[in-house]
């Protein structure tokens, strides 16, 4: 053999390998592009089948071209099909569910009964009632809790806080918004911020005892804020506690701003447990949805399947961002795997309806419902989300800046639950605030400067 023959042979083999690798990569990219263009129709098969057919046709053409040459074996003629087989094997898992496609609800909790209420809006919600307990006086006005998420089940950590409030004499009701926890699903296009407000009004009507106090946390605080801007729903609210709100409307959502003191994000150990995003199907679906390349109602995965697949570990650093940096290595377990429930698609859908909504500041400016705003020192929320509410709502009577806590203010650490309950209780009972009223409306510019 010539001294030049061996290098030439190696170069030809390397070129063929690179060509095969390029073919596989092109097929995978074509598949992902078609998933986006078809919005995942047919569980991804509307993208997978054309790519498989196109790749097979190209391989047939190349195989026939090779067969015209002399000395081509059958094995050699099958070589063009190898990239097709590899690409098909890589992309097929994206089209195959690995969890049940019908909604699998969490089991009932052992310490509180789960009731299921059908609201006049058509929503079916899971309801939890903690009657007043303890030796102290009973408070006559029921307290309704709106949890964060959006479209997330109420965590065990939150349930413990609700029991604490009940032990102080409050008649506490909580419900999981449609799609979250043990509540029924809605068609994807019905998950909107306005629907959440209507559900709140219908829930209070179902209680049947007149106006109620409402504690809204995070995205639940957004629902409450938007409810205060709606005269019909606001009339059902006796007093409102707006705790760590997200953006109340589109203009607020697009506001650049500052966060609070350093959170534990990036400092806390990575969450343990299985992740759906380690499975190709859900990594592609949730990733493309988060990037806005797939709609929340994508045909790639159904709403129920996505809810079943998503785990607490999939939240990643979001949980750590709700705690102060100093708490990074002692973050409590917020929930159990059996109780955890989060609907990523419905959550994105609700957030987008907030982001796309017009300003509610003019309507909120006419609110007369006594309200209190709670802001955490280590908040991961943009400060302007809270100060926008404070600036727009003239009925906010006090603001309580909570030192030493992150976004999840009642977290079971260092008496934080008791401190949060004391702040909430003082306002609901119209007693002096445990903390200074800060920031005030006039102090908003200085407050924001302190957090640049």
């Amino acid at each position: 053999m010539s001294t030049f023959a061996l290098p030439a042979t190696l170069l030809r083999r390397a070129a063929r390998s690179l060509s095969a690798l390029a073919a596989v990569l092109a097929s995978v990219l074509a598949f992902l592009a078609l998933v986006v263009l078809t919005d995942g129709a047919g569980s991804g098969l509307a993208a997978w089948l054309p790519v498989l057919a196109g790749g097979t046709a190209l391989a047939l053409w190349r195989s026939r071209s090779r067969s015209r040459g002399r000395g081509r074996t059958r094995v050699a003629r099958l070589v063009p099909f190898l990239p097709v087989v590899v690409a098909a094997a890589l992309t097929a898992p994206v089209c195959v569910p690995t969890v049940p496609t019908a909604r699998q609800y969490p089991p009932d909790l052992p310490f509180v009964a789960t009731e299921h209420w059908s609201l006049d809006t058509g929503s079916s919600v899971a309801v939890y009632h903690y009657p007043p307990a303890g030796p102290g006086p009973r408070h006559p006005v029921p307290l309704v809790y709106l949890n964060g998420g959006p479209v997330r089940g109420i965590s065990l950590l939150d349930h413990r806080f609700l029991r604490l409030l009940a032990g102080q004499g409050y008649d506490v009701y909580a419900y999981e918004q449609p799609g979250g926890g043990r509540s029924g699903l809605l068609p994807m296009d019905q998950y909107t911020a306005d629907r959440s407000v209507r559900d709140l009004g219908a829930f209070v009507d179902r209680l049947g005892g007149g106006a109620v106090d409402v504690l809204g946390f995070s995205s639940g605080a957004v629902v409450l804020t938007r409810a205060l801007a709606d005269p019909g729903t606001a009339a059902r609210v006796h007093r409102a506690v707006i705790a760590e709100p997200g953006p109340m409307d589109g203009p607020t959502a697009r506001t650049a701003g500052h966060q609070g003191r350093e959170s534990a994000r990036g400092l806390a150990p990575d969450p343990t447990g299985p992740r759906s995003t380690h499975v190709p199907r859900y990594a592609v679906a949730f990733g493309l949805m988060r990037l806005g390349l797939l709609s929340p109602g994508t045909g790639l995965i159904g709403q129920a399947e996505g809810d079943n697949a998503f785990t607490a570990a999939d939240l990643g650093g979001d949980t750590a961002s709700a705690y102060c940096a100093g708490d990074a290595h002692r973050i409590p377990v917020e929930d159990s795997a059996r109780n955890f429930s989060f609907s990523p698609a419905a959550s994105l859908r609700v957030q987008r309806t907030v982001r796309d909504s017009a300003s509610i500041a003019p309507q909120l400016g006419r609110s007369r419902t006594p309200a209190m705003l709670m802001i955490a020192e280590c908040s991961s929320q943009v400060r302007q989300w809270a100060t926008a509410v404070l600036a727009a709502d003239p009925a906010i009577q006090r603001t309580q800046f909570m030192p030493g806590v992150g976004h999840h203010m009642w977290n079971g650490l260092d008496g934080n639950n008791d401190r949060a309950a004391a702040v909430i209780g003082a306002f609901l009972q119209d007693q002096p605030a445990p903390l200074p009223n800060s920031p005030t409306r006039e102090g908003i510019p200085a407050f924001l400067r302190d957090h640049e």
Side-chain angles (χ1 to χ4, degrees):
M1 179 179 290
S2 166
T3 56
F4 296 101
L6 185 58
T9 300
L10 292 175
L11 286 174
R12 284 195 297 271
R13 289 178 179 174
R16 284 196 295 269
S17 297
L18 288 174
S19 177
L21 181 62
V24 170
L25 181 60
S27 297
V28 171
L29 292 176
F31 168 74
L32 293 176
L34 281 175
V35 166
V36 172
L37 289 174
T38 62
D39 198 24
S43 194
L45 290 175
W48 189 77
L49 290 175
V51 170
L52 178 62
T56 302
L58 180 61
L60 279 170
W61 177 80
R62 294 185 63 188
S63 177
R64 289 172 180 170
S65 299
R66 288 184 169 216
S67 67
R68 298 190 188 101
R70 294 180 179 177
R72 296 292 184 184
T73 65
R74 178 173 296 181
V75 172
R77 290 196 297 271
L78 292 177
V79 168
F81 291 92
L82 183 60
V84 180
V85 173
V86 173
L90 289 174
T91 53
V94 177
C95 306
V96 180
T98 61
V99 299
T101 56
R103 182 70 175 106
Q104 304 293 297
Y105 291 98
D108 285 349
L109 295 166
F111 50 80
V112 63
T114 303
E115 301 178 41
H116 295 276
W117 291 8
S118 295
L119 305 181
D120 288 344
T121 56
S123 297
S124 174
V125 296
V127 181
Y128 310 95
H129 180 209
Y130 292 102
R138 304 301 196 250
H139 303 291
V141 180
L143 174 60
V144 173
Y145 176 61
L146 299 176
N147 67 300
V151 198
R152 179 175 177 174
I154 299 174
S155 71
L156 297 180
L157 196 62
D158 279 3
H159 275 290
R160 285 196 287 272
F161 184 62
L162 299 181
R163 292 202 298 275
L164 172 62
L165 293 175
Q168 296 180 356
Y170 295 96
D171 191 15
V172 181
Y173 288 85
Y175 69 93
E176 290 165 321
Q177 296 180 33
R182 297 161 186 83
S183 291
L185 307 183
L186 293 175
M188 189 56 65
D189 62 358
Q190 293 187 29
Y191 289 105
T192 67
D194 290 342
R195 173 61 173 264
S196 298
V197 171
R198 293 196 300 273
D199 282 343
L200 173 60
F203 182 82
V204 176
D205 286 345
R206 177 69 185 266
L207 287 176
V212 301
D213 295 328
V214 182
L215 166 61
F217 166 65
S218 193
S219 62
V222 175
V223 175
L224 177 54
T225 302
R226 295 178 71 91
L228 297 178
D230 178 73
T233 310
R236 300 170 171 94
V237 181
H238 175 252
R239 282 180 173 256
V241 179
I242 304 168
E244 280 285 286
M248 65 182 184
D249 54 24
T252 308
R254 293 187 288 273
T255 299
H258 315 289
Q259 297 181 344
R261 190 162 62 85
E262 185 183 14
S263 76
R265 181 188 285 273
L267 302 174
D270 290 336
T272 59
R275 295 192 182 199
S276 67
T277 47
H278 289 169
V279 179
R281 176 172 176 81
Y282 307 112
V284 169
F286 295 148
L288 293 179
M289 274 195 285
R290 193 173 183 86
L291 292 172
L293 298 176
L294 289 181
S295 73
T298 177
L300 183 56
I301 60 170
Q303 178 189 169
E305 182 189 350
D307 294 0
N308 294 337
F310 203 87
T311 69
D314 286 321
L315 292 173
D318 284 354
T319 298
S321 71
Y323 293 83
C324 292
D327 296 329
H329 295 284
R330 59 170 192 157
I331 293 175
V333 176
E334 294 194 344
D335 215 347
S336 68
R338 285 170 59 81
N339 186 62
F340 177 81
S341 168
F342 183 79
S343 178
S347 180
L348 281 174
R349 165 75 182 165
V350 172
Q351 291 179 63
R352 288 177 185 177
T353 64
V354 172
R355 184 193 63 198
D356 295 340
S357 68
S359 171
I360 65 169
Q363 295 89 338
L364 191 58
R366 294 189 287 272
S367 174
R368 296 296 178 266
T369 303
M372 177 178 70
L373 179 66
M374 297 176 69
I375 304 176
E377 182 179 8
C378 308
S379 177
S380 56
Q381 307 286 78
V382 173
R383 291 300 194 193
Q384 280 83 346
W385 294 349
T387 58
V389 179
L390 178 59
D393 186 351
I396 291 180
Q397 298 179 347
R398 65 179 70 170
T399 303
Q400 300 284 269
F401 181 77
M402 306 292 291
V405 294
H407 179 58
H408 206 153
M409 292 181 286
W410 39 86
N411 54 35
L413 299 175
D414 302 334
N416 290 331
N417 287 18
D418 291 329
R419 280 188 283 272
V423 165
I424 293 167
F427 174 71
L428 295 182
Q429 298 172 52
D430 199 21
Q431 295 176 350
L435 299 171
N437 183 33
S438 175
T440 61
R441 287 182 190 82
E442 297 74 19
I444 289 175
F447 177 75
L448 294 177
R449 282 196 303 272
D450 289 343
H451 294 88
E452 288 182 349

